Amino acid sequence: MITIKPAADPVSSNHKFGLALAGGGPLGGFYELGALCALEDHIEDISMNDLDIYVGVSSGAFLAAGLANGISLRKMVQIFIFDNQSLTPFNPDHFLQPAYRDYIVNLAKSPKLLTKTLLEWAKNPLKMGIVDLLENLGTALPTGVFNNKKLEHFLQSILTKHGQSNDFRELDKQLYIVACELNTGKIAGFGIGMNEDVPISKAVQASSALPGLYAPVNINGKYYVDGALRRTMNASAALKQDTQLLFAVNPIVPFSRAPESTKKGLESGGLPMVLSQTFRSIVQSRLKSGLDKYESLYPKADILLAEPDADDERLFASNLFSYSHRDELCDYAYQVTRQHLQKQQKQITPILKRHGLRLDLRKLKIKQRCLHDYMTDTQPVYGWRERLDESLTELEHNIKAG
């Protein structure tokens, strides 16, 4: 659904628009890309490259960095979804390279650590339990299963080849990337006025370093991990800059199956399903809490937040870290967001109108429009009857809204 947070104290628009993108692993990034394509396709006279401020967390940081750099959604779909090798080679396996060096370093420590642990146990066998043994031996484990250095190198090549720059200070737009400093647990921002000398690709690498999956990223002697640990979306980074219309996408919501469903409960899916639901619930709770605060903190701002439906079983059953079927997922996100725009156009229309924007009602009426149509920009030619019908429909919406 699209959560609409209208301005509590609306004023004449300053036409300052922003975009905030949450995280959610590869699945989240592919979903966000499809949702953004639907928004751009069905809101007239707007390009996701022409906004003023971009904020990204984790996988959302990839897209925010690309858009702020002037890389179009169509080009990103070609690179990440349809794997257009002529643009930039995209190999998902590059993002799942085992952290061999960490394995070797920690393996070298294992004999000494094991000896030390056994000696401590021999001295106090009754006082040292299983948990104590595991805690001691746990330091021999690597800090991450995979190495995401290739991820940083790939993004660097994307930004320098297809964008403006890998330097925050050289962008025409404002870009903010959110990470978490490991040793303090505090939010770490990257952008103008905050760690602005750090390359954009390095900031994105830090923001997407999910603990356990990727090792913490060392930047100037400090270690950073996934920004989602502290902020789901961090929309306030854009709202603080007097943004009055904020588009946002959050791909991760807790699953809610209908009570009358005869299917087995989530507990039947084992630990992965339980952990997934737990993670999604924490993310959603934090996001909604932030949205409620924005109403009083930023009363002049309108927020349109696109999310999957809570009962979307297809999306919930998908692996958060899977790269397979990404073309189907991106198109699915496009279709879902498009359906939300169709169902909620009466509520969305007055929000957009305040900022000089409007929905493309002709495209919304097309039953079979898909991501491929957006990519090729194919649409039927409309005659005067269709245009008159569109004008009357818009007039009716305005009368009801007024």
Side-chain angles (χ1 to χ4, degrees):
M1 63 176 292
I2 294 179
T3 300
I4 303 168
K5 285 286 185 179
D9 182 22
V11 296
S12 180
S13 177
N14 63 0
H15 298 285
K16 193 169 186 178
F17 305 154
L19 175 67
L21 298 174
L27 177 144
F30 300 143
Y31 184 93
E32 287 179 319
L33 189 52
L36 288 173
C37 289
L39 291 174
E40 182 176 89
D41 196 25
H42 295 89
I43 300 177
E44 292 187 5
D45 302 322
I46 195 171
S47 166
M48 287 299 162
N49 293 111
D50 292 336
L51 308 182
D52 300 284
I53 301 176
Y54 298 84
V55 181
V57 180
S58 193
S59 58
F62 274 89
L63 302 182
L67 291 170
N69 251 280
I71 304 175
S72 70
L73 287 173
R74 287 183 174 87
K75 185 165 289 185
M76 282 197 274
V77 170
Q78 289 175 337
I79 294 173
F80 292 105
I81 305 302
F82 296 133
D83 198 15
N84 190 326
Q85 296 291 322
S86 64
L87 291 173
T88 301
F90 173 67
N91 185 353
D93 290 340
H94 288 171
F95 302 103
L96 298 174
Q97 291 290 315
Y100 294 116
R101 183 179 180 278
D102 290 345
Y103 294 160
I104 294 172
V105 170
N106 284 272
L107 187 62
K109 296 190 303 184
S110 297
K112 184 178 179 181
L113 186 62
L114 180 59
T115 302
K116 180 182 176 182
T117 301
L118 290 175
L119 287 174
E120 290 182 8
W121 175 79
K123 291 178 182 178
N124 299 288
L126 299 179
K127 293 183 179 181
M128 197 170 192
I130 297 297
V131 174
D132 298 311
L133 290 172
L134 293 176
E135 183 178 359
N136 286 350
L137 293 173
T139 58
L141 297 175
T143 54
V145 177
F146 300 109
N147 186 327
N148 64 351
K149 288 183 180 179
K150 283 196 174 182
L151 178 151
E152 191 267 335
H153 294 157
F154 176 75
L155 183 59
Q156 181 182 21
S157 67
I158 292 288
L159 298 182
T160 54
K161 183 177 181 180
H162 302 290
Q164 296 174 349
S165 173
N166 196 28
D167 190 324
F168 287 99
R169 297 163 294 188
E170 295 179 359
L171 298 180
D172 295 334
K173 310 294 184 180
Q174 294 184 58
L175 170 65
Y176 297 96
I177 303 300
V178 183
C180 175
E181 188 180 344
L182 180 63
N183 290 316
T184 64
K186 295 181 179 179
I187 296 172
F190 296 86
I192 297 300
M194 53 181 80
N195 299 308
E196 59 186 21
D197 59 324
V198 175
I200 295 172
S201 57
K202 197 69 176 178
V204 174
Q205 179 192 8
S207 179
S208 57
L210 183 65
L213 189 68
Y214 292 118
V217 177
N218 184 352
I219 301 178
N220 299 328
K222 295 183 179 180
Y223 288 85
Y224 299 90
V225 292
D226 197 318
L229 266 66
R230 287 299 308 269
R231 286 289 186 273
T232 298
M233 193 166 59
N234 205 40
S236 60
L239 296 172
K240 286 178 181 177
Q241 306 298 320
D242 200 25
T243 299
Q244 288 190 2
L245 176 60
L246 180 72
F247 297 100
V249 185
N250 171 42
I252 304 300
V253 297
F255 180 65
S256 178
R257 181 174 286 154
E260 63 273 13
S261 175
T262 58
K263 295 184 178 180
K264 293 181 179 180
L266 299 183
E267 71 282 354
S268 63
L271 182 60
M273 196 70 75
V274 173
L275 291 178
S276 177
Q277 180 74 331
T278 301
F279 171 70
R280 290 166 181 268
S281 299
I282 293 173
V283 167
Q284 183 76 352
S285 174
R286 196 166 53 192
L287 175 63
K288 295 303 181 184
S289 176
L291 284 177
D292 292 339
K293 293 178 182 178
Y294 296 154
E295 187 172 356
S296 59
L297 292 175
Y298 311 103
K300 296 179 175 60
D302 292 308
I303 302 175
L304 296 177
L305 169 64
E307 296 179 299
D309 291 318
D311 60 353
D312 193 328
E313 190 152 3
R314 173 180 175 179
L315 197 62
F316 181 73
S318 301
N319 187 331
L320 286 175
F321 302 101
S322 174
Y323 290 88
S324 61
H325 306 296
R326 56 186 182 275
D327 54 339
E328 296 177 10
L329 176 60
C330 191
D331 181 66
Y332 179 71
Y334 172 93
Q335 298 286 357
V336 168
T337 306
R338 187 172 184 274
Q339 291 169 11
H340 293 161
L341 291 172
Q342 290 171 329
K343 293 178 182 178
Q344 298 176 254
Q345 60 179 283
K346 291 182 180 179
Q347 295 78 32
I348 296 172
T349 295
I351 299 293
L352 294 178
K353 184 179 179 181
R354 186 167 85 85
H355 302 279
L357 302 172
R358 66 175 185 172
L359 291 170
D360 190 328
L361 300 181
R362 288 175 294 166
K363 286 183 181 177
L364 283 176
K365 289 181 180 178
I366 302 173
K367 293 183 179 180
Q368 302 300 325
R369 190 169 176 84
C370 63
L371 181 64
H372 177 74
D373 296 320
Y374 163 77
M375 293 294 293
T376 56
D377 201 28
T378 59
Q379 55 180 302
V381 178
Y382 292 90
W384 68 270
R385 291 181 183 275
E386 288 80 5
R387 295 184 183 279
L388 176 61
D389 182 57
E390 176 192 358
S391 299
L392 292 174
T393 301
E394 183 177 1
L395 178 61
E396 181 183 356
H397 289 162
N398 291 337
I399 293 174
K400 291 181 179 180

